[in-house]
């Protein structure tokens, strides 16, 4: 059973479809109920078991309620994928503080909320499980125009690497993985807040979303 946040678009959507093809049970989390319902119906029509919860990953209590629903329906989960994310295109100095904070609520606090919750549930699960977070190469090498996004992914990298050390120290049966895609062919840039006044395009090479999905499922 795999939980995927940000499940209705881009990498999350590709991962849900690939996982369903391979026989996984899917519990999908996103903010839009219409898209979640449509995706569940699509996967179920192909014979997969899938359910969903409408939730913003920045809402720790809402995320916990979603995990409880997964527990009731599927008896818990083996894998948690932190995938939800947003971006801003524009200079840092032109970004409103409230937009800066909102991005961190999703990209950083959403990962913290999901990871701590998943670790709590997986610690005592027979066989443990996996927590996989979709970061970015921009967490290693920031670029202009996506400075706020780059900063959030640096924060995610620091959190994941430090928390992994804590899990190793306590001997928890949990694997922690940070996947760091480069440019991916998703609607990501179209959903982002654009302060530049110009259309954005990904720098090449641009990879297909299913390439990242396959890496996530390998992990």
């Amino acid at each position: 059973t795999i939980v995927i946040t940000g499940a209705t678009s881009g990498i999350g959507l590709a991962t849900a479809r690939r996982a369903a093809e391979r026989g996984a049970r899917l519990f999908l989390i996103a903010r839009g109920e219409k898209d979640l319902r449509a995706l569940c119906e699509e996967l179920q029509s192909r014979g997969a078991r899938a359910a969903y919860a409408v939730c913003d990953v920045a809402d720790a209590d809402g995320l916990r309620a979603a995990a409880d629903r997964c527990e009731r329906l599927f008896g818990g989960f083996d894998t948690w994928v932190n995938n939800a994310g947003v971006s801003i295109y524009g200079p840092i100095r032109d970004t409103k503080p409230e937009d800066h904070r909102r991005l961190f609520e999703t990209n950083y606090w959403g990962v913290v909320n999901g990871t701590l919750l998943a670790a709590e549930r997986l610690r005592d699960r027979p066989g443990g499980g996996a927590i996989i977070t979709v970061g970015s190469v921009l967490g290693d090498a920031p670029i202009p125009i996506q400075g706020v996004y780059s900063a959030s992914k640096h924060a995610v990298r620091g959190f994941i690497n430090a928390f992994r050390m804590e899990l190793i120290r306590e001997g928890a049966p949990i694997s922690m993985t940070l996947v760091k895609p480069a440019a991916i062919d998703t609607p990501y840039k179209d959903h982002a807040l654009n302060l530049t006044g110009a259309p954005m395009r990904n720098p090449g090479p641009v990879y297909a979303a299913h390439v990242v999905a396959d890496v996530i499922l390998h992990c």
Side-chain angles (χ1 to χ4, degrees), residues 49-135:
R49 291 186 63 186
Y52 70 84
V54 179
C55 180
D56 187 326
V57 294
D59 177 2
D61 291 337
L63 213 52
R64 186 171 299 278
D68 289 343
R69 176 171 165 77
C70 181
E71 194 90 36
R72 290 193 300 272
L73 293 174
F74 294 144
F77 53 87
D78 310 285
T79 300
W80 182 285
V81 181
N82 293 307
N83 169 72
V86 295
S87 190
I88 297 173
Y89 288 96
I92 294 172
R93 67 179 183 275
D94 292 344
T95 305
K96 295 178 181 178
E98 56 266 34
D99 291 331
H100 197 145
R101 289 192 180 95
R102 185 65 189 86
L103 181 143
F104 263 76
E105 285 291 332
T106 299
N107 291 10
Y108 176 72
W109 284 107
V111 168
V112 171
N113 293 338
T115 299
L116 294 179
L117 171 61
E120 176 186 307
R121 304 292 173 103
L122 292 173
R123 271 187 179 93
D124 300 323
R125 187 175 178 84
I131 301 172
I132 301 161
T133 298
V134 179

Side-chain angles (χ1 to χ4, degrees), residues 3 11 18 23-24 31 36 50 86 95 107-108 114 125-126 131 150 159 176 178 180 185 189 200 207 209 218-219:
V3 177
I11 292 169
R18 296 289 253 217
R31 290 183 295 179
L36 280 168
V86 295
T95 305
N107 291 10
Y108 176 72
R125 187 175 178 84
I131 301 172
S150 298
F159 168 76
M176 287 278 290
L178 181 62
K180 298 185 287 187
D185 183 18
K189 63 184 185 302
M200 292 290 105
Y207 298 90
H218 171 76
C219 297

